[in-house]
Amino acid sequence: MCDASSLSETQRAKQEIRRRVLALRDGLPTDARAAHSLAIAQKIAAMPSFIAARTVSLFSSFGSEWVTAFLIQEALRRGKIVALPRVLPASTPASATLKHPLPTTPRRCAPPPFKRGQEKGSNCTDLNQSRSKQMLLQTIENLARDTAPGLRGILEPLPERPVVSPKAVDWILIPGVAFTPRGDRMGYGAGFYDRLLAQMPPQVPRIAGAFEAQIVETLPTDSHDCPVDVVCTERQMFCCKKLA
């Protein structure tokens, strides 16, 4: 367990919001979650940026997240290059994961620092282990055939699937626990996507899907917290760049 006294005020605030929002999301009835997920996927699939994108980075949902399989299948049906993340052990050398150099374009956010005892106070050991892991993007052509359960049971590409450099992605779907109408994002605390987004060109559209229950007015943020450009819920779409 984490020692609450070692956490900053921002970290303690994030813990409380994460706990509250996850409880609301977990409480959604199964049929409502399925219907809302389909509505979110349909809205995102109709976005001009998604339609125009050739290589998209998506993710497999888990737990009470909105069901991203709808969007993954639609992207595959349209013939897009679909990349999903796979989490690698901390001991994996960078040369074995990156077959292209990291982008040198200006970043929209700083990479998050690796510090012990941060975020998600329910289990600091697990969190610290997650923070030391790397996330790799690999393509799939068939969701059932080309994936297997990985970290936390989340479907990940098989190890032999082709690797995609973050620099080659031209559209990305981002998970999260909570979002604001301005595009502020709070993830699960491991920093996977903050580190990934810091490697991508700044013009890549950053899109998030979420249930209405996950939208909050404000979020405590740090310098390494990367915002999103659009947040799409089952009811509405927040175009965050216009609010900046």
Side-chain angles (χ1 to χ4, degrees), residues 43-242:
K43 284 183 171 67
I44 293 177
M47 294 178 60
S49 64
F50 182 79
I51 294 171
R54 174 59 179 159
T55 301
V56 297
S57 174
L58 308 179
F59 67 90
S60 295
S61 53
F62 82 105
S64 61
E65 289 182 327
W66 71 281
V67 183
T68 59
F70 296 125
L71 189 63
I72 295 172
Q73 297 288 18
E74 180 62 16
L76 291 170
R77 187 188 69 80
R78 296 184 188 183
K80 298 183 183 297
I81 298 173
V82 176
L84 300 181
R86 183 166 70 90
V87 176
L88 304 177
S91 59
T92 304
S95 59
T97 63
L98 293 175
K99 299 187 178 180
H100 305 278
L102 295 180
T104 57
T105 49
R107 296 174 175 179
R108 291 167 56 182
C109 52
F114 288 87
K115 293 182 180 179
R116 298 186 61 83
Q118 286 191 335
E119 307 287 355
K120 213 169 185 178
S122 59
N123 194 325
C124 281
T125 300
D126 288 348
L127 180 63
N128 291 328
Q129 290 175 349
S130 292
R131 281 183 173 272
S132 65
K133 290 179 169 64
Q134 302 178 61
M135 192 165 71
L136 187 67
L137 297 179
Q138 294 175 265
T139 64
I140 65 164
E141 296 177 345
N142 182 291
L143 183 57
R145 183 193 65 208
D146 296 338
T147 63
L151 182 69
R152 299 178 182 171
I154 302 170
L155 288 180
E156 298 181 340
L158 298 175
E160 62 268 24
R161 294 301 304 169
V163 174
V164 175
S165 166
K167 191 175 183 178
V169 172
D170 49 31
W171 192 98
I172 183 170
L173 181 70
I174 303 172
V177 173
F179 302 89
T180 71
R182 292 186 62 85
D184 296 321
R185 167 187 173 270
M186 184 176 68
Y188 292 91
F192 283 126
Y193 274 84
D194 290 325
R195 295 194 290 274
L196 176 64
L197 290 170
Q199 299 173 16
M200 289 187 172
Q203 70 271 18
V204 173
R206 303 172 177 191
I207 313 302
F211 299 122
E212 281 285 326
Q214 296 174 252
I215 305 300
V216 298
E217 276 302 309
T218 61
L219 282 173
T221 59
D222 291 307
S223 61
H224 61 263
D225 291 328
C226 295
V228 298
D229 300 324
V230 175
V231 182
C232 182
T233 76
E234 68 272 21
R235 296 180 185 173
Q236 56 191 322
M237 187 174 290
F238 299 100
C239 297
C240 311
K241 273 191 171 180
K242 296 179 180 179

